Amino acid sequence: MPKIASDTDVIIVGAGPTGLLLANLLGTMGVRTTIIERNAGTVDEPRAVSIDDESMRSLQAAGLSDEVGAICSRGYGSIYKGPNGNVFATVKPFIKEYGFDKRNAFQQPEFEAILRAALERHDNVTAHFETEVTGFSQTSEAVKATVTFPDSESGTVTGSYMVACDGGRSAIRKALDIPMEGTTFEEPWLIVDLLSTQNRCFHTEVHCDPSRPSITLPGPNGVRRYEFKLQKGENPQQVTEETFVRRLLAETGPDAKEPIRRVRVYTFHARIAERWREGRVFLAGDAAHLTPPFAGQGMNSGLRDAHSLAWRLAETLHATGSTDLLDSYQTERKPHAWSLIQLALRMGQVMMPASRLQGSLIRAGFHALALYPPARDYFAQMKYKPKPRFEQGLIQHGVRRNKHSVVGRMIPQPVVADPDRTHHLLDEVLPDRPVVLLYSKAPDTDLSETARAQFRKLGVSIVGLTPECTNPVSADFPIYRDQSRFFASEPYKFHVGHAFLVRRDRYVAASVPVSRADSLTEMILRLSPQLEHAQSSVAEHISRKKETSGPIPRTA
């Protein structure tokens, strides 16, 4: 068995999607990371089946969006049907505001295998399976974890921080005595995963029948999932018998005879941890929040946690003084995670009408809204999904806060064109550090020489973005044209001539007129306290840690 470093920067407990993405992101950021998983490997059965555009953008930051995209069925929607089978609402989004399709179907075993294999790219990341954290303690300077090896011997590993990604029953969360807020659904659901399907519908079909609500979801490579709400008196042993399962399949579609891969009964939760941090220990993924599946956001919320926490940890570890970076993690993430839990609950009410009368009223409401194009577009393009936007946290609001403010929002990711007319996704041309993004008709002339000199001294990257203007042939910073014209829409169309301070997770930390761009300095240093020494500091930090690390000392 490979040795585990006794000294590391970040200890990650749990190698599910959240822990694996966090480890990959930290690896790209030069952070020494040790990930510990009690199971022998990643999952071998389908669990989560949908990944959204925000998560794909997080994977893009880790250099994994192409590999993951290759195993997905991309761009599927949802069709809502009443008890008689008639369609009363459709959701078929095609707008790629963040650079990717809003809904993508995948198989979790393949997904996790990609993330696990990708850890091999990073010399500063080690992953250890069949190894369990059995206890931990912390001081004001470090976290010390006791681990049990496959041979039942124990040892210790010390890190600057620890992140609990160990699932809904998180032992770390329980050890910290952090309560969960929210509710547990009393209605269990039966999940049936098929190895093949005769259902040719590319989209999710939602059967909103009060007598038996059900959902069927497409997957890649001809697989399909069915979910059935169980009725009172139906027990888990009865409903998992093959004859019962095939009867439900026959009532729902053409797949009654297809081979079954997995049958499980789940009770869904809508719960969130009271706090997401205790000293140097953080919660992420299902350890921090449990989301009903009706909006497909459980795993996706965990991937957002990973991206939000990774850059904060990296910047804090590379800083020489105190920072407020880590304090904003819960402030930003908890409200957004809870808003998606509430979205799932609302969608559950549509899927599971309490009576036929309620179901009829819901369908009548959707039919009425369909007559009004903006309302129809609101549902079809999934605009009801809460946008990633923070009101508080590591952001700096302007003097006038209004509905058109871009501060706290994730910026769009359009296709952009360079002066050679080569096309890129925006993130592909942005470095992994704070960026001053000049959205202007003439960014090369609008920025003052004083501001340029100031940003050069700090080591800040300057990138220009024009709405529908020609790119200058020569400039002392790169300038691109918004080919997809996402910035031409609200609220960004009101901000031509502004400088956006974009964080490493692609949220806007501040926005000022280009003429006042030099006022961003204070916020830049909050986002990256050692930005002027970033490149050399990362290399020196890793080298110094490697020289002092050693194997975990085993105890008798």
Side-chain angles (χ1 to χ4, degrees):
M1 184 189 73
K3 294 179 179 179
I4 306 178
S6 61
D7 183 36
T8 190
D9 290 328
V10 178
I11 304 167
I12 299 175
V13 185
T18 302
L20 288 169
L21 177 57
L22 178 59
N24 274 285
L25 287 167
L26 291 173
T28 65
M29 297 173 183
V31 175
R32 286 208 329 128
T33 305
T34 299
I35 183 168
I36 299 173
E37 168 59 54
R38 66 178 182 175
N39 293 316
T42 52
V43 298
D44 58 4
E45 60 181 26
R47 293 180 182 175
V49 293
S50 180
I51 188 166
D52 68 11
D53 52 346
E54 295 169 47
S55 293
M56 289 298 296
R57 197 172 188 180
S58 296
L59 289 162
Q60 181 186 19
L64 296 171
S65 56
D66 288 344
E67 286 184 72
V68 173
I71 65 166
C72 292
S73 290
R74 291 178 276 185
Y76 73 97
S78 294
I79 299 171
Y80 291 80
K81 299 181 178 181
N84 58 5
N86 292 335
V87 176
F88 67 88
T90 59
V91 178
K92 296 180 180 178
F94 58 82
I95 297 173
K96 299 181 181 181
E97 182 178 0
Y98 298 127
F100 300 93
D101 291 294
K102 290 184 180 293
R103 302 181 72 195
N104 307 278
F106 74 107
Q107 293 282 284
Q108 188 167 334
E110 293 179 319
F111 175 64
E112 289 194 9
I114 289 173
L115 267 62
R116 180 181 180 180
L119 297 178
E120 299 295 328
R121 302 174 303 169
H122 308 295
D123 293 337
N124 53 323
V125 177
T126 57
H128 297 273
F129 290 78
E130 294 185 277
T131 304
E132 185 173 4
V133 173
T134 53
F136 65 93
S137 60
Q138 60 174 313
T139 67
S140 61
E141 297 181 350
V143 180
K144 186 176 183 179
T146 301
V147 301
T148 301
F149 299 101
D151 57 11
S152 297
E153 290 191 36
S154 62
T156 58
V157 58
T158 301
S160 297
Y161 298 96
M162 184 165 76
V163 184
C165 305
D166 54 341
R169 298 179 180 178
S170 171
I172 305 298
R173 186 190 67 233
K174 292 176 181 177
L176 294 170
D177 196 26
I178 298 177
M180 295 290 279
E181 305 166 333
T183 60
T184 297
F185 279 80
E186 294 182 3
E187 302 94 347
W189 281 66
L190 178 69
I191 310 299
V192 182
D193 286 295
L194 301 180
L195 290 167
S196 60
T197 180
Q198 297 299 314
N199 188 331
R200 300 305 177 193
C201 182
F202 179 69
H203 305 285
T204 294
E205 295 176 307
V206 184
H207 300 275
C208 306
D209 187 343
S211 63
R212 175 86 73 181
S214 64
I215 311 167
T216 169
L217 304 96
N221 303 319
V223 302
R224 201 163 189 96
R225 168 173 289 186
Y226 287 78
E227 301 179 359
F228 304 95
K229 182 184 175 184
L230 298 182
Q231 299 170 345
K232 291 183 179 180
E234 294 177 338
N235 62 67
Q237 182 176 357
Q238 170 198 0
V239 300
T240 54
E241 294 177 354
E242 185 172 352
T243 52
F244 184 90
V245 172
R246 294 202 179 279
R247 179 171 64 82
L248 293 184
L249 290 171
E251 293 172 354
T252 310
D255 287 335
K257 297 182 180 180
E258 296 305 301
I260 297 172
R261 178 178 184 180
R262 184 184 75 135
V263 179
R264 291 285 187 277
V265 173
Y266 282 108
T267 300
F268 299 134
H269 305 273
R271 309 184 73 189
I272 195 163
E274 181 181 80
R275 59 188 188 277
W276 292 24
R277 177 186 185 183
E278 187 70 34
R280 288 179 170 265
V281 181
F282 296 83
L283 306 182
D286 285 355
H289 43 75
L290 296 167
T291 308
F294 309 122
Q297 289 299 307
M299 183 201 72
N300 289 290
S301 286
L303 298 182
R304 292 187 195 97
D305 295 343
H307 200 183
S308 180
L309 192 53
W311 72 272
R312 286 176 164 85
L313 288 168
E315 292 287 357
T316 301
L317 286 162
H318 296 150
T320 57
S322 61
T323 76
D324 61 353
L325 288 167
L326 295 173
D327 294 334
S328 57
Y329 167 60
Q330 175 181 322
T331 302
E332 294 182 357
R333 284 293 308 127
K334 186 176 179 181
H336 189 225
W338 183 245
S339 71
L340 290 168
I341 290 173
Q342 292 177 309
L343 171 66
L345 293 174
R346 291 193 297 270
M347 293 181 68
Q349 292 174 343
V350 175
M351 297 177 188
M352 301 181 295
S355 65
R356 291 193 174 276
L357 175 60
Q358 185 185 69
S360 297
L361 292 174
I362 290 172
R363 293 191 297 277
F366 274 96
H367 285 308
L369 289 172
L371 300 175
Y372 181 51
R376 185 173 62 244
D377 184 64
Y378 177 81
F379 287 101
Q381 295 303 321
M382 285 184 65
K383 294 181 180 179
Y384 54 81
K385 178 186 172 186
K387 282 286 187 73
R389 183 181 184 182
F390 309 131
E391 294 296 334
Q392 296 179 321
L394 203 62
I395 54 178
Q396 178 178 298
H397 289 287
V399 177
R400 293 181 300 171
R401 293 173 58 176
N402 55 48
K403 66 179 182 179
H404 298 309
S405 173
V406 301
V407 175
R409 298 178 189 254
M410 179 185 285
I411 62 168
Q413 184 177 201
V415 173
V416 297
D418 63 22
D420 295 327
R421 298 179 299 281
T422 303
H423 291 174
H424 317 265
L425 282 174
L426 178 61
D427 288 5
E428 295 172 355
V429 300
L430 299 182
D432 181 23
R433 53 181 171 176
V435 174
V436 175
L437 184 66
L438 305 178
Y439 183 48
S440 166
K441 295 180 179 179
D444 54 321
T445 60
D446 285 355
L447 187 65
S448 70
E449 185 53 45
T450 300
R452 294 176 197 235
Q454 187 169 298
F455 294 145
R456 281 196 293 266
K457 183 177 179 181
L458 284 171
V460 169
S461 293
I462 306 170
V463 176
L465 184 68
T466 68
E468 295 181 83
C469 306
T470 56
N471 295 20
V473 176
S474 61
D476 57 1
F477 55 85
I479 298 176
Y480 303 90
R481 180 167 50 83
D482 178 12
Q483 183 76 16
S484 301
R485 303 189 70 245
F486 282 127
F487 281 80
S489 303
E490 293 186 5
Y492 294 91
K493 70 178 184 180
F494 301 112
H495 294 267
V496 178
H498 277 64
F500 306 138
L501 177 56
V502 181
R503 305 185 330 189
R504 293 175 72 171
D505 57 359
R506 306 315 184 203
Y507 284 81
V508 179
S511 172
V512 297
V514 175
S515 61
R516 293 178 45 230
D518 54 357
S519 67
L520 296 172
T521 300
E522 182 179 349
M523 193 65 198
I524 290 170
L525 293 177
R526 285 183 64 194
L527 296 178
S528 188
Q530 298 299 312
L531 186 58
E532 67 269 29
H533 303 300
Q535 293 180 338
S536 60
S537 294
V538 172
E540 291 171 5
H541 184 78
I542 295 173
S543 176
R544 184 172 63 254
K545 285 291 187 178
K546 284 184 176 180
E547 291 172 0
T548 59
S549 65
I552 288 183
R554 296 197 176 208
T555 58

